[in-house]
Amino acid sequence: MTALKQSIARLDRAIAPTAPARRLAILRFVVAAFGLVYLLIRLPVFVGLADNRPTRFDPVGPLSMLSSPLPDWMLYMLITSAIGSATGTLIGYRYRIVGPVFAATVVLLLTYRSSWGQILWFEIVFALHALIIGVSPAADVLSLDEHRRARPPAPHQRYGWPVKLAAIVTVTTYFVSAVAKLRIGGVDWVAGDSLRNHIAFSAARLDVFGATSSPLADPFVSRAWLAPIMAGTALVLELAAPLALLGGRLRTWWVVGTWSMHLLIAATMFIVFPYPLFAAAFAPLFALEQLYKPKILQTGGHD
Amino acid sequence: MELTPFARVASTMLVVGALFLPVVRNQDSFPLSTHPMYATARDRDETLVSAVGLTEAGDVIRLSLSVAASTDDPLVAESFIERALRDGHAEETCRDIAVRVAGSDLTNVVDVTLLSERVDLVDFVESSAVLDRTIHVTCPVPR
């Protein structure tokens, strides 16, 4: 029994390190800022869901019990709540209410958007991070709610655990991607021409819809030897993702490598994964409070 | 409310388990997914679906993502046309697109066609060569 307790305590220290409240608060800021900008930029797409024919509706995930699309007023309320709560989360206002609303509305809205015949995988990590941030004490500092406290909170595991959990989510999704490639595509995915054909397919798909494909697609496609090198590198990066949790240089190299992979995907295929490309997906892997130290907080308090 | 170490460890394991669940069940969903993007071993020989506009003179005009599928995402547009063809909604979808064409600046387009084009992907990128073309449905643009 004692051995079990010791094991749990060791594991707990690893997954929930004692951390200053600022680390979680800055992650809240990153996730909410991304969310707010993303929701506003994509607003026409979300609003446009109301015009879709009901026959296209194919609900997934938490909405899979729905038998028909949401009424328009409910969709508009969901969009408004998501944008409003993203703003509230960003500034940390009435967070005990706003945080969970942010988590729920972002997950539901993005799930709803993926319920029209095409799951949009690039939104998954953002949705999961929003879920974690929204239900954690992420607005104890660097927020409008901050003044409700008599004094700054001391570093605590309650601030370290959500950040670590978000980091675990990031690396696990990459690892699962690698598993999918090996399971679905097998060794051929690396050794064959699959990646070259995927890049060619993305360019061709843009062409048939009258859009401009990447100018880098043609040079890449015409050099067949590049594909196995890039595919192998991508697979190694995804399989190595859990190592990033160890921190240090290993983490930094993994983040640089994975970010570069997304940059290359954007450059050759014009497919943008905004959350990792703007580095938000990788934020929980870093001690964020060390990157951002407002002078007013350096003079006193626990943080 | 403070969580105990056991609750934190158990919750973390549950989250990781949930992330692996789609892989075990081989069922993609949102926000728990198998992350299958680019995972298939794609062949060079591929069929592309799209919507095109036809002018009175018989010229073919590629319809944009927004006109063809009310989106700016090629993945969504492809899936939109593919599902319409697969689920037997081709005519209905064609009419929807024709209405959008009528509301756009494509004033010279008189008909809309949903089609599949079989291509060698590498050749298509290099020279736009099409091996085979299948027209599924054609509908007039309401003016």
Side-chain angles (χ1 to χ4, degrees), chain A residues 2 7 14 26 56 58 63 78 84 96 117 120 122 178 192 228 231 233 241 243 251 253 257 264 276:
Chain A
T2 313
S7 299
I26 295 172
R56 284 181 60 197
D58 184 12
L63 297 179
L78 188 60
R96 282 183 178 221
L120 295 174
F122 60 81
T233 307
L243 296 177
R251 175 238 13 232
W253 279 113
L264 207 57

Side-chain angles (χ1 to χ4, degrees), chain A residues 12 53 158 189 197 205, chain B residues 2 8 38 42 78 96:
Chain A
D12 183 51
R53 278 191 185 268
R158 82 171 79 94
W189 192 87
N197 294 340
R205 187 172 54 191
Chain B
E2 285 302 327
R8 278 194 294 260
Y38 322 127
R42 192 179 282 283
E78 175 202 9
D96 285 350

Side-chain angles (χ1 to χ4, degrees), chain A residues 54-287:
Chain A
T55 47
R56 284 181 60 197
F57 189 58
D58 184 12
V60 295
L63 297 179
S64 51
M65 79 291 284
L66 288 181
S67 55
S68 59
L70 296 176
D72 291 355
W73 65 268
M74 203 182 279
L75 172 63
Y76 299 146
M77 208 172 80
L78 188 60
I79 296 169
T80 309
S81 304
I83 292 172
S85 61
T87 309
T89 298
L90 184 69
I91 60 178
Y93 179 68
R94 306 271 177 190
Y95 195 69
R96 282 183 178 221
I97 297 164
V98 165
V101 172
F102 173 63
T105 53
V106 162
V107 170
L108 288 176
L109 182 60
L110 299 185
T111 302
Y112 191 68
R113 194 188 157 190
S114 274
S115 293
W116 295 91
Q118 182 57 58
I119 290 170
L120 295 174
W121 301 289
F122 60 81
E123 292 175 339
I124 287 175
V125 179
F126 164 56
L128 294 172
H129 280 184
L131 196 57
I132 293 167
I133 292 301
V135 296
S136 61
D140 285 0
V141 296
L142 300 178
S143 66
L144 292 183
D145 286 350
E146 189 175 7
H147 71 274
R148 295 172 201 276
R149 293 182 158 272
R151 57 200 181 105
H156 195 279
Q157 283 182 292
R158 82 171 79 94
Y159 302 121
W161 181 52
V163 179
K164 188 64 96 176
L165 191 60
I168 289 170
V169 163
T170 295
V171 301
T172 305
T173 54
Y174 281 99
F175 187 79
V176 169
S177 293
V179 172
K181 288 181 180 72
L182 290 173
R183 193 167 51 88
I184 302 171
V187 179
D188 269 1
W189 192 87
V190 176
D193 272 344
S194 262
L195 187 61
R196 181 192 189 204
N197 294 340
H198 275 293
I199 291 175
F201 181 79
S202 290
R205 187 172 54 191
L206 282 168
D207 281 348
V208 298
F209 282 107
T212 308
S213 57
S214 166
L216 294 180
D218 191 5
F220 179 89
V221 167
S222 60
R223 288 166 180 79
W225 54 271
L226 268 173
I229 296 172
M230 275 177 64
T233 307
L235 192 64
V236 167
L237 278 169
E238 290 180 345
L239 284 171
L243 296 177
L245 292 173
L246 298 175
R249 284 186 185 173
L250 210 52
R251 175 238 13 232
T252 306
W253 279 113
W254 181 80
V255 169
V256 169
T258 307
W259 180 82
S260 305
M261 175 178 80
H262 283 290
L263 191 66
L264 207 57
I265 290 171
T268 55
M269 301 167 90
F270 278 178
I271 293 177
V272 175
F273 285 66
Y275 198 59
L277 207 53
F278 288 101
F282 309 118
L285 288 161
F286 293 88

